[in-house]
């Protein structure tokens, strides 16, 4: 019985301490001033589109920079909303620490294609199909030219951009994707003077696999400049047009 009573007393003591700690923390949070800000940009080196200084500039421009302000007056939700409104930021998480410091963790949007269309527009397509303005940013990606409509470019071409970016073989071999007036895709490789007629993005993985096999077993023996066009539009076929 005494053991049971002792256990109950210990549990009550622990519960009381936890309640006190929570109350004390909240009271401290209400009275403390933000003494510092830690900004973490996830995978910053992979895109270079957003950095710590740009996050700070966004907060300052929107009068939300937290250092020196009372923690109780800092709206985390509002800060996150402003940061996520940036065309270069995918996710933002803001939180306060017990020592008065704040942390902001930002995840950038990831561009997969650089578009320079015939309308003179210059923008990026991200891996989720969103449009990112060019601004002062530049990243070396496969360039898409021609009849690319900005309103529909994301849903149409983002999956292809992701596939090409993730495939180390093709990411280093394709330099341009041209969209003809008829909406068909023509790929320009970095090596060789031929044009790859892809047609559309349907069965893309199959087309790239067949083309890679043809590169290894055909072009490497016949010569990289032997053909003018390589047509991948039809199932189970690779149709080539010789150079005159």
């Amino acid at each position: 019985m005494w053991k049971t009573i002792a256990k109950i007393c210990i549990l009550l003591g622990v519960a009381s301490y936890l309640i006190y700690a929570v109350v004390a923390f909240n009271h401290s949070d209400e009275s403390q001033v933000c003494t510092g800000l830690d900004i973490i940009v996830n995978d910053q080196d992979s895109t270079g589109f957003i950095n710590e200084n740009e996050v700070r500039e966004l907060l300052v421009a929107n009068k939300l920079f937290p250092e020196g302000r009372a923690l109780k007056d800092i709206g985390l939700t509002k800060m996150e909303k402003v940061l996520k409104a940036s065309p270069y930021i995918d996710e933002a998480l803001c939180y306060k620490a017990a020592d008065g410091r704040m942390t902001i963790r930002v995840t950038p949007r990831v561009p997969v294609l650089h578009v320079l269309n015939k309308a003179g527009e210059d923008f990026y397509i991200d891996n989720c199909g969103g449009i990112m303005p060019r601004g002062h940013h530049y990243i070396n990606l496969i360039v898409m030219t021609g009849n690319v409509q900005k309103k529909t470019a994301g849903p149409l071409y983002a999956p292809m951009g992701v596939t090409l970016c993730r495939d180390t073989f093709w990411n280093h071999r394709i330099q341009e994707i041209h969209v003809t007036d008829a909406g068909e895709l023509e790929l320009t490789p970095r090596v060789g003077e031929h044009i790859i007629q892809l047609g559309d993005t349907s069965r893309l993985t199959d087309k790239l696999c067949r083309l890679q096999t043809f590169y290894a077993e055909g072009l490497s023996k016949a010569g990289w400049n032997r053909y003018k066009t390589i047509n991948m539009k039809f199932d189970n076929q690779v149709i080539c047009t010789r150079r005159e």
Side-chain angles (χ1 to χ4, degrees), residues 168-181:
T168 53
F169 182 87
W170 291 114
N171 190 33
H172 296 296
R173 283 169 175 78
I174 301 299
Q175 66 177 356
E176 181 182 342
I177 302 169
H178 181 74
V179 184
T180 67
D181 288 342

Side-chain angles (χ1 to χ4, degrees), residues 37-85:
L37 177 64
D38 300 310
I39 299 175
I40 302 169
V41 180
N42 298 326
D43 300 323
Q44 177 177 321
D45 294 336
S46 66
T47 65
F49 268 64
I50 195 77
N51 56 42
E52 179 180 335
N53 287 334
E54 288 172 311
V55 172
R56 289 178 179 271
E57 289 171 4
L58 275 172
L59 296 176
V60 170
N62 288 274
K63 299 180 180 180
L64 293 173
F65 195 71
E67 285 189 40
R69 298 175 58 192
L71 292 178
K72 65 182 179 63
D73 295 329
I74 298 173
L76 300 182
T77 302
K78 188 173 183 180
M79 290 175 66
E80 291 172 352
K81 184 177 180 180
V82 165
L83 291 173
K84 286 190 286 188

Side-chain angles (χ1 to χ4, degrees), residues 187-227:
L187 278 56
T188 302
R190 296 183 186 276
V191 178
E193 297 180 3
H194 55 274
I195 296 296
I196 302 163
Q197 297 173 331
L198 200 65
D200 55 29
T201 59
S202 65
R203 309 182 312 281
L204 180 63
T205 301
D206 173 65
K207 291 175 182 177
L208 293 177
C209 285
R210 281 189 284 124
L211 183 58
Q212 186 171 346
T213 300
F214 178 70
Y215 265 34
E217 299 178 3
L219 281 188
S220 61
K221 299 175 182 178
W224 292 100
N225 299 323
R226 182 172 185 178
Y227 299 110

